[in-house]
Amino acid sequence: MSTPRAFQPTRESFDRIYRGEPALEGAPTPTGVPWDIRQAQPRLRELEALGVISGEVLDIGCGLGDNAIFLASRGHSVTGLDGSPTAIEQARSRAAEAGVLNPTAGSAGVTFDVADATDLTGYDGRFDTVVDSALYHCLDNDGRQAYAACLYRCTRPGARWHLYCFSEDNVNGLVAPMASVSEADLRDTLTANGWRIDFLGPTTYLANAAGFGSSDEELPQAMVDQMPPEALEQMQDVRARFSAIAELLDGDRVHLPFTVVHAHRVD
Ligand SMILES: C[S@@+](CC[C@H](N)C(=O)[O-])C[C@H]1O[C@@H](n2cnc3c(N)ncnc32)[C@H](O)[C@@H]1O
């Protein structure tokens, strides 16, 4: 099943979620941030253990920073960037607590800043590894093109890009709640902007089921107004499935169907 392009979250709507406010008019106050699992994503931890992360690392769309903090704690020099000032403030606080914030030049640790992934002025030629954990699917088509081009500009020859986004697949009957990305989209966008794909395949991303709301709640009016009927139906279906399995979940965590792409920069 594939998700039609639908309601597009903005940097402002993300900031509202991080402030604990409804992302959309008419929506209930969120019970939490759906992707805030307070630890690095399991698949990213595995990638790091396999020795794939090297050089100066960019965690783009870093959110609350747990992936970047994990990489810093494993000895990497990391920059976490996100469009939400509230997320960056909280990420800095988590990193300070973990003892990895603001390293001295050239040493392991993490710095966080606010930046738009479709601009990234001031970061030219800086990075050897890019990690994108659930940012790509937040952008519209033009945004994805601009973003892939920015990453080319901000990396060094030989750089690697590890990209995780909603897929069109399902995992145990669970589909992405919205905005899934086709393989053709990824291949076209990366190739057109100077990236060569070494691997593209299915993976999972851990999230909080409760963050997606329950099937008993009304969907926000702005979503109902802007999403195609099939997408709304799919969102309701996902919420119903999460509600049905809620009691079986370990700590409310669900594995969402994602695609992972490992690409390198064509020099
Ligand atoms: C689904 S969250 C993932 C956060 C984090 N990477 C994780 O896996 O926990 C997507 C993040 O992308 C950020 N974002 C969305 N559009 C952005 C943009 N144009 N520039 C920078 N960050 C953006 C949001 O603020 C949000 O923190």
Side-chain angles (χ1 to χ4, degrees):
M1 192 197 305
S2 71
T3 309
R5 295 294 304 148
F7 175 77
Q8 198 72 47
T10 61
R11 287 175 60 192
E12 289 68 33
S13 57
F14 276 110
D15 201 63
R16 281 196 291 276
I17 293 174
Y18 287 122
R19 292 200 304 264
E21 297 167 9
L24 300 167
E25 212 180 306
T29 302
T31 51
V33 177
W35 51 90
D36 181 16
I37 59 166
R38 294 194 163 262
Q39 56 168 292
Q41 281 292 325
R43 301 290 85 80
L44 182 68
R45 295 165 77 112
E46 289 163 4
L47 197 67
E48 198 282 332
L50 290 165
V52 175
I53 309 288
S54 65
E56 280 296 316
V57 182
L58 169 62
D59 179 2
I60 182 73
C62 63
L64 296 166
D66 291 312
N67 290 328
I69 292 166
F70 165 74
L71 294 175
S73 73
R74 297 285 298 165
H76 299 283
S77 171
V78 188
T79 301
L81 300 177
D82 198 279
S84 157
T86 307
I88 290 300
E89 199 183 307
Q90 292 181 31
R92 285 186 183 135
S93 152
R94 288 186 187 192
E97 215 168 281
V100 293
L101 185 63
N102 294 335
T104 52
S107 62
V110 61
T111 55
F112 288 107
D113 268 304
V114 177
D116 182 347
T118 63
D119 179 343
L120 294 181
T121 301
Y123 293 96
D124 287 15
R126 281 271 300 272
F127 302 106
D128 303 292
T129 300
V130 179
V131 171
D132 168 344
S133 174
L135 164 66
Y136 186 89
H137 59 231
C138 302
L139 305 173
D140 63 16
N141 290 335
D142 289 347
R144 290 173 187 179
Q145 294 291 339
Y147 166 51
C150 281
L151 288 189
Y152 187 92
R153 205 186 69 231
C154 294
T155 47
R156 297 181 181 132
R160 307 274 156 176
W161 179 6
H162 309 285
L163 185 167
Y164 297 81
C165 64
F166 278 137
S167 81
E168 296 180 317
D169 295 330
N170 77 64
V171 174
N172 291 334
L174 291 183
V175 294
M178 60 198 293
S180 60
V181 180
S182 71
E183 181 173 337
D185 174 319
L186 289 161
R187 289 196 183 281
D188 292 350
T189 306
L190 270 64
T191 307
N193 290 285
W195 295 90
R196 182 158 303 146
I197 293 180
D198 302 310
F199 176 84
L200 184 156
T203 190
T204 54
Y205 177 94
L206 210 52
N208 300 312
F212 292 93
S214 113
S215 50
D216 303 335
E217 291 164 10
E218 299 267 313
L219 278 169
Q221 194 55 45
M223 262 187 174
V224 175
D225 292 343
Q226 293 177 52
M227 286 173 81
E230 323 84 88
L232 278 175
E233 208 177 294
Q234 181 163 333
M235 175 66 104
Q236 285 295 40
D237 182 42
V238 168
R239 284 155 57 113
R241 284 167 194 247
F242 285 172
S243 298
I245 62 173
E247 283 184 9
L248 306 171
L249 297 176
D250 187 5
D252 189 46
R253 299 281 153 78
V254 281
H255 295 271
L256 297 176
F258 262 50
T259 297
V260 62
V261 179
H262 303 299
H264 69 270
R265 184 184 187 272
V266 180
D267 301 326

